[in-house]
Amino acid sequence: MSTLVIVESPTKARTIRNFLPSTYRVEASMGHVRDLPSSAEEIPEAVKGEKWAQLGVNVEADFEPLYVIPKDKKKIVKELKDALKDATELILATDEDREGESISWHLLQILKPKVPIKRMVFHEITREAIRDALTHCRDIDNRVVQAQETRRILDRLVGYTLSPLLWKKIAWGLSAGRVQSVAVRLLVRRERERRAFRQGSYWDLKAFLEKGKISFDAKLVTVGNVKVANGSDFDENTGQIIAGRRVLLLNEQQARALLSRIQNKPWTVTNLEERPVTRKPSPPFTTSTLQQEANRKLRLGARETMRIAQGLYERGFITYMRTDSVHLSEQAIEAARSCVQELYGSEYLSPQPRKYTTKSKGAQEAHEAIRPAGSTFRTPQQTGLDGIDFRLYDLIWKRTVASQMADSRQTHVTVLTQVEDAGFRSSGKRIDFPGFLRAYVEGSDDPNAALEDQEVILPALKVGDKPNCKDLEAVGHETQPPARYTEASLVKMLESEGVGRPSTYASIIGTIVDRGYAKLIANALIPTFTAFAVTTLLETHFPDLVDTGFTSRMEQTLDEIATGEAKWLPYLQKFYTGETGLATQVKEQESHIDAKVARTVVLENLPAKVCIGKFGAYLESESEEGLVKASIPQDLTPADLDPEQVEFLLKQKTEGPEKLGLHPETGEPIYVLIGSYGPYVQLGEVSETNKKPKRASLPKGTDKDSVTLDMAVSLLTLPRLLGTHPETGAKVQANLGMYGPYVVHDQGKVGKDYRSIKPPDDVLTIGLDRALELLSQPKAARGRSKSATPLKELGAHPESGEPINVYDGRYGPYVKHGDINASLSKDESVENFTLQRALELLATKEAAGPKTSSKSKKSTKATAEKSETATKKTAAKKTTAKKTETAAKKTTAKKTATATTAKKTTK
């Protein structure tokens, strides 16, 4: 007698096997085993001729979805069916959320088991939790399945109906999404605000006072009982003081005159106020708050945070990481309170257990907050974790433990001082009892350092005291535009507006960046010109779809479907096929949308139009010679494009590049130009005999106007040969790359070893000795494969000498050598895996060659372009040269592209 247990991932399967008797067989479904068609080739022959087949949903037959088993899942399905043949019982143990419930339902439809079926749910992977879940199995919740299916259909209808319209009117490969488009609009609106922003300037005074050898600061707040203007008094659209505000705006001359007038005059304390403040700890993490804090503290993106958290969950370190709930179980509260008692003492324990409740009506995922797993919490040091896994677990542990700690008691102190008719204010903060701040301070990595930062100590003062003024200075200020969204602040905004679900935010933000709607620069999400064009089109012709209120109400309806309060079919009919439904709107609006207008981005006060083309954004302007077009550098954002830059780009196109001078050795002219990837220098002109002149990008942060002839000559020498490595005899070079300046030890077929060059080192002056010193230092990790800790180190490759290690991957353990990865078979254990076996797998993988482009892990855009090219070539073989373009467009836009590109839309 045996029981088959099916979970989603191999990692989870390996962990759960340890907690079940030997009669239980645990297998992984690798996520969803069935879905709507993702490409034209997945559509079954029986329905390929149907007009709705490309959509994957038969809207005329009660929105019946067309489910198929993807090509890469057929082997998994076969293995699960084979495993089921030997089982006397089937337990579906996928995640507890909507996606997990849906996966279980699809498995049931595919496997058609003839043995008893149970649905097992748990929110942590510990021996106790798994054994308990086995005794409390239930049936599949069909209402939750229906809600997930409705959401999937709704997202498909939005994406596959609007995306082809964007291809026709703006550019190939664009996508629209139910939540994605709303998120992009938020970014665009913020960027519009930044563009409309007008800077204001103001001055004030800052005093450095002293009393009893304790120094403190004071800021000017009034002159003659009139409030001195600060940043909050300015209108962002005019740069002037907001109408009706009675404030005194000081300029530099007035501020310095005031400073001279009150210099060396006596200061007097006129008022002192102490206000006790009690702070309570934040609730434990939900999905969205974890993403926000991990972004603020650890600089992790939402996708990376969820990937790491998924691994921690599947290995039994934390509870389920997709949850809207802040609730803690009694077991968790007791575990947290035990940690507080043992590590900090009873005085730091909250008098009563803190019980948090979720305010959001839509909270519907797992039933508990994200916390350390188990009935006792392992401290971060006890886990054996390291690197980013350790840091994220540490964050979760601290937040959970702090939630059961005592309040922090503080005293806020405000002191007003007067000198002549000028009033100054000093603010202080005294921590009377740190409470939960001993364990966790929101927004800081180091609790002890943060605790010190919380305090601003003022001397013991009383009204009438006369502190000494040690220094007085005039300070100029400029108002700042609204801050761009970070991943953390965008997640917070989406959640506060009720748009989407926390479990989808990571994929939404990832899609926005992958599809070219935003760039992630210095932790800020900056919308592109394409984002402006798409948002404008949707705002103009489909305003509801990018309205946060409308999208929030859609989420509420989907939640109501999950609880049985709303019916799914009438909702889909009204949304899509009703009189004002999406399909009707698209048919009506398509003829009204002028493609030329849709491709034009309207930005005020520019002497040229900004248009979206096949290769990105470009400027378009009428001149005496006719229409002039000039590419816009990819790193230039809509908010930063000004008339001066427009003029330079157009002038470069019409009059040629700016000449710096002649190369001292060759006599060729050297030019400064701006291209798609930013400014660069070029040696000589493009001609028939010199089609690719020598070029060199400017170092990051270098302005084109600051480039001298000597600097240009030095840049054109890159890559610089510094010498040979004393151990290998291979060359060592310095150069500029995508990620900045670097040195490289180039050993040919053996490989290249890179190290970044950081200030004060300079790529143009660094020598061999310093380069060798950098190359001897440990390599900084970039990306998952380099930062991951190997499960097992097997040794060096007999030919290359490079290490061969076994890592834990998304689909189970794999062996890695250089750029080659090979998966271990299911019956191979990591413990018994040998170097010889690794060499066999790697040789087989290398002989098989690279994967096809359809399975490539390249960017979405590159995949879409390859798909389009392949389709055109196929069509070209079947048609005449004259019909090639037409055939390719029909094939791509109507079949392959609809399925391949629009599927990338997010929920």
Side-chain angles (χ1 to χ4, degrees), residues 305-598:
T305 297
M306 296 310 292
R307 183 190 67 77
I308 298 165
Q310 177 95 28
L312 292 175
Y313 164 66
E314 292 180 346
R315 286 179 286 159
F317 289 106
I318 64 171
T319 55
Y320 192 53
M321 66 292 159
R322 291 190 179 91
T323 173
D324 291 346
S325 175
V326 293
H327 169 70
L328 285 178
S329 66
E330 293 297 330
Q331 171 186 281
I333 290 174
E334 185 58 36
R337 294 179 70 82
S338 294
C339 284
V340 177
Q341 182 76 44
E342 293 172 13
L343 298 174
Y344 303 106
S346 57
E347 63 178 322
Y348 282 93
L349 196 62
S350 64
Q352 299 296 325
R354 295 186 190 272
K355 297 188 177 182
Y356 298 90
T357 56
T358 306
K359 296 177 182 179
S360 170
K361 179 186 176 183
Q364 44 72 39
E365 305 287 6
H367 301 306
E368 201 172 356
I370 304 170
R371 63 167 177 86
S375 56
T376 57
F377 292 168
R378 286 172 284 183
T379 65
Q381 291 72 24
Q382 292 171 337
T383 60
L385 295 168
D386 59 11
I388 197 62
D389 288 347
F390 175 90
R391 296 176 70 194
L392 191 66
Y393 178 86
D394 182 63
L395 198 66
I396 294 167
W397 183 90
K398 286 176 179 175
R399 177 88 163 214
T400 309
V401 170
S403 73
Q404 294 301 315
M405 293 178 72
D407 294 344
S408 167
R409 298 193 302 274
Q410 306 173 1
T411 299
H412 291 193
V413 183
T414 302
V415 176
L416 297 181
T417 50
Q418 193 77 20
V419 51
E420 296 285 300
D421 62 342
F424 286 73
R425 181 170 58 217
S426 303
S427 298
K429 183 188 297 181
R430 182 175 69 247
I431 295 180
D432 303 311
F433 176 66
F436 71 90
L437 294 177
R438 288 299 304 153
Y440 183 83
V441 180
E442 199 164 2
S444 172
D445 288 327
D446 183 353
N448 292 319
L451 191 59
E452 295 170 358
D453 292 342
Q454 293 291 312
E455 288 195 306
V456 180
I457 302 299
L458 296 179
L461 294 166
K462 61 181 183 296
V463 174
D465 281 351
K466 296 186 180 297
N468 295 322
C469 181
K470 306 296 290 183
D471 194 13
L472 186 63
E473 64 181 30
V475 183
H477 306 273
E478 291 180 336
T479 57
Q480 299 300 312
R484 288 182 171 116
Y485 284 105
T486 62
E487 290 198 41
S489 58
L490 181 60
V491 165
K492 186 175 182 180
M493 174 60 78
L494 290 170
E495 186 176 40
S496 67
E497 293 288 336
V499 174
R501 279 287 165 261
S503 58
T504 67
Y505 292 155
S507 62
I508 289 164
I509 293 173
T511 299
I512 288 171
V513 175
D514 292 344
R515 303 299 289 171
Y517 288 121
K519 294 179 181 293
L520 187 58
I521 301 175
N523 206 37
L525 287 163
I526 305 174
T528 61
F529 292 98
T530 301
F532 269 67
V534 170
T535 297
T536 300
L537 184 149
L538 295 177
E539 285 175 331
T540 305
H541 300 280
F542 308 97
D544 281 349
L545 292 180
V546 286
D547 179 70
T548 53
F550 180 82
T551 308
S552 177
R553 289 191 294 275
M554 291 172 71
E555 293 293 350
Q556 292 174 16
T557 303
L558 290 168
D559 290 339
E560 289 166 0
I561 291 169
T563 59
E565 298 173 60
K567 300 296 183 183
W568 68 276
L569 184 55
Y571 179 70
L572 285 179
Q573 289 171 333
K574 181 180 178 183
F575 174 80
Y576 193 72
T577 57
E579 290 184 9
T580 59
L582 179 60
T584 307
Q585 287 186 54
V586 170
K587 287 178 182 177
E588 291 177 352
Q589 294 292 333
E590 183 170 353
S591 60
H592 299 147
I593 300 174
D594 186 312
K596 180 63 178 175
V597 173

Side-chain angles (χ1 to χ4, degrees), residues 138-182:
R138 59 168 173 81
D139 294 329
I140 289 176
D141 190 331
N142 287 313
R143 291 189 303 188
V144 174
V145 173
Q146 188 66 73
Q148 191 279 337
E149 185 172 70
T150 305
R151 185 183 295 270
R152 183 74 183 95
I153 292 171
L154 194 62
D155 290 335
R156 175 60 72 101
L157 294 175
V158 173
Y160 274 43
T161 304
L162 283 180
S163 296
L165 182 66
L166 298 181
W167 306 338
K168 295 177 187 177
K169 303 299 182 181
I170 299 179
W172 168 262
L174 297 178
S175 68
R178 185 175 59 85
V179 179
Q180 168 198 311
S181 298
V182 177

Side-chain angles (χ1 to χ4, degrees), residues 812-859:
Y814 66 94
V815 61
K816 179 178 180 63
H817 168 240
D819 294 330
I820 302 175
N821 299 340
S823 297
L824 277 66
S825 63
K826 286 200 308 180
D827 57 352
E828 290 180 303
S829 68
V830 175
E831 292 75 16
N832 299 324
F833 195 71
T834 64
L835 176 61
Q836 185 58 42
R837 176 57 180 153
L839 293 171
E840 293 172 6
L841 286 179
L842 291 166
T844 303
K845 184 65 179 289
E846 189 171 13
K851 292 183 179 181
T852 59
S853 60
S854 63
K855 294 183 181 178
S856 172
K857 292 185 179 179
K858 292 185 177 181
S859 68

Side-chain angles (χ1 to χ4, degrees), residues 18-75:
N18 298 324
F19 306 140
L20 295 175
S22 58
T23 54
Y24 285 75
R25 177 177 178 178
V26 186
E27 297 294 340
S29 70
M30 302 295 190
H32 277 281
V33 292
R34 202 168 68 151
D35 198 2
L36 303 176
S38 62
S39 65
E41 64 181 12
E42 285 189 351
I43 298 173
E45 288 294 334
V47 295
K48 268 195 174 177
E50 302 291 342
K51 62 180 182 180
W52 56 267
Q54 301 294 336
L55 188 61
V57 179
N58 190 347
V59 296
E60 297 175 357
D62 292 341
F63 292 86
E64 181 184 355
L66 174 63
Y67 288 123
V68 297
I69 300 173
K71 196 174 183 179
D72 60 344
K73 292 298 178 73
K74 289 183 177 179
K75 180 182 177 183

Side-chain angles (χ1 to χ4, degrees), residues 679-750:
Y680 62 94
V681 292
Q682 176 178 298
L683 179 63
E685 298 180 5
V686 178
S687 64
E688 283 297 319
T689 56
N690 188 24
K691 294 183 178 180
K692 292 185 177 180
K694 173 81 173 172
R695 292 172 177 171
S697 298
L698 300 189
K700 191 174 182 180
T702 303
D703 186 79
K704 62 178 180 58
D705 296 326
S706 66
V707 179
T708 63
L709 180 60
D710 289 342
M711 181 191 293
V713 171
S714 297
L715 288 170
L716 289 166
T717 64
L718 298 177
R720 292 175 55 226
L721 178 62
L722 305 181
T724 57
H725 198 287
E727 296 177 8
T728 65
K731 61 184 179 181
V732 177
Q733 295 177 310
N735 202 0
L736 275 173
M738 181 184 298
Y739 301 105
Y742 64 88
V743 292
V744 58
H745 176 206
D746 187 353
Q747 299 182 70
K749 291 183 178 180
V750 174

Side-chain angles (χ1 to χ4, degrees), residues 858-873:
K858 292 185 177 181
S859 68
T860 324
K861 181 176 179 181
T863 305
E865 288 175 354
K866 286 186 176 181
S867 175
E868 180 186 9
T869 305
T871 307
K872 287 181 177 179
K873 286 180 178 178

